[in-house]
Amino acid sequence: MIKKTLCILLLAAAFSIPKAFACYCSESTITFPYQTADFVGVVKILKNYKNYPNTNEYYRADVEVLDLYKGKNLKHLYILGSNGVDSYNSCGTFIKEGEVRLIFGNFMKDKSISTYLCKSYKSPEEHYYKRDQVEEKLTLLKRFARKHTNKIPNEASIYIGDFKKTINKDSVNYTSLVGVELKNSGEIKKIFNLTKDNEQLRSALEKYFRNTFNWKRIKSMRENNTGDITLFFEVRPYKS
């Protein structure tokens, strides 16, 4: 099963701030930021501007979308961080012109897209991007989940922490993607696999989500929805 990682990123040095504050990015999956985002895409930063004048917390960046996985194409976004002004936010970041990043973005009040450190640090040019099958996961999520946006409070609500390891002959790095459609009452309406899992694994996943997973963890989210909702999970079963 996926080991939950805690990404502790210290930004004080980057912004020359005397006091060190940390931004804690606890997300360890692709499915969680994907289904909470309004925009998901690989973008190249073309030009950066000074900070967004209304708040002084965001700066604007002109971008080129190289791969679009969710939402509409865009020509610019707002990044939480400092660009040429005396402002500081522990979850702020600065992405240099020419860099390519995977961006998970959300609407601001004026419907423009914004992002911040925890939603923009993944780079397709890093070795882990291929190792963790990020592109493959995003392609599947685009096919099955691009119309779903659920404001899940935190990843712990859907983190799979108690799924028993199941032998999977394909690879120890194999990750199952599973969608679960819930009625407003909390009753499971449908379970479906995004990945091509074998029969043994499909059966184990079906049993887990119906009999073991604690659905009370997302009770508050169900109460705020009038219709059915669909959640997407990552599970990494392997032969230990």
Side-chain angles (χ1 to χ4, degrees):
M1 187 54 223
I2 302 174
K3 293 184 178 179
K4 189 122 176 160
T5 59
L6 183 63
C7 178
I8 305 177
L9 300 165
L10 300 175
L11 303 181
F15 293 101
S16 300
I17 302 298
K19 294 182 179 180
F21 296 92
C23 182
Y24 297 91
C25 305
S26 62
E27 294 161 6
S28 62
T29 67
I30 294 298
T31 51
F32 174 75
Y34 186 95
Q35 58 195 305
T36 59
D38 298 302
F39 169 88
V40 181
V42 174
V43 307
K44 181 178 182 179
I45 305 297
L46 301 179
K47 183 178 180 179
N48 288 319
Y49 297 85
K50 299 301 180 182
N51 279 58
Y52 195 52
N54 293 337
T55 64
N56 214 36
E57 292 183 321
Y58 293 85
Y59 66 91
R60 172 178 164 172
D62 290 344
V63 301
E64 176 187 0
V65 178
L66 304 179
D67 293 296
L68 180 64
Y69 294 105
K70 188 178 184 181
K72 296 181 179 180
N73 201 359
L74 51 83
K75 294 185 178 180
H76 64 265
L77 60 85
Y78 290 92
I79 303 173
L80 181 67
S82 176
N83 182 25
V85 296
D86 186 18
S87 65
Y88 178 71
N89 186 302
S90 63
C91 282
T93 187
F94 180 76
I95 307 175
K96 296 180 181 179
E97 294 176 359
E99 285 196 27
V100 176
R101 297 287 184 91
L102 171 61
I103 299 293
F104 297 95
N106 288 99
F107 287 126
M108 301 178 77
K109 290 182 179 180
D110 62 358
K111 296 300 181 181
S112 57
I113 292 292
S114 69
T115 190
Y116 64 101
L117 177 64
C118 300
K119 302 288 188 178
S120 64
Y121 68 88
K122 292 183 181 296
S123 172
E125 297 175 353
E126 296 293 338
H127 75 282
Y128 63 79
Y129 202 86
K130 183 176 182 180
R131 179 201 66 193
D132 297 341
Q133 303 171 322
V134 176
E135 183 177 352
E136 289 86 344
K137 293 175 185 177
L138 289 170
T139 299
L140 287 170
L141 289 167
K142 179 180 180 180
R143 178 182 174 187
F144 291 95
R146 67 184 182 275
K147 296 182 180 179
H148 298 273
T149 301
N150 297 311
K151 302 304 180 182
I152 307 166
N154 56 70
E155 190 181 24
S157 298
I158 60 169
Y159 182 70
I160 307 300
D162 50 5
F163 181 78
K164 294 182 179 179
K165 297 175 183 179
T166 301
I167 295 176
N168 178 65
K169 64 181 181 180
D170 299 320
S171 170
V172 295
N173 293 320
Y174 180 84
T175 301
S176 294
L177 298 187
V178 182
V180 181
E181 187 175 351
L182 297 172
K183 296 181 180 179
N184 184 251
S185 62
E187 181 183 352
I188 294 178
K189 184 176 181 180
K190 181 182 179 182
I191 298 175
F192 56 97
N193 298 72
L194 284 63
T195 42
K196 296 180 180 179
D197 303 324
N198 58 41
E199 184 176 351
Q200 177 192 14
L201 183 52
R202 288 199 306 271
S203 177
L205 289 166
E206 177 92 14
K207 182 178 180 181
Y208 170 78
F209 283 111
R210 291 192 180 278
N211 302 324
T212 305
F213 186 78
N214 182 11
W215 292 104
K216 292 181 180 179
R217 285 162 28 186
I218 59 166
K219 181 179 179 181
S220 60
M221 193 181 74
R222 290 201 309 269
E223 291 174 346
N224 295 326
N225 287 270
T226 56
D228 299 343
I229 59 173
T230 303
L231 298 177
F232 297 88
F233 302 82
E234 286 182 39
V235 187
R236 184 177 293 172
Y238 58 93
K239 183 177 180 179
S240 58

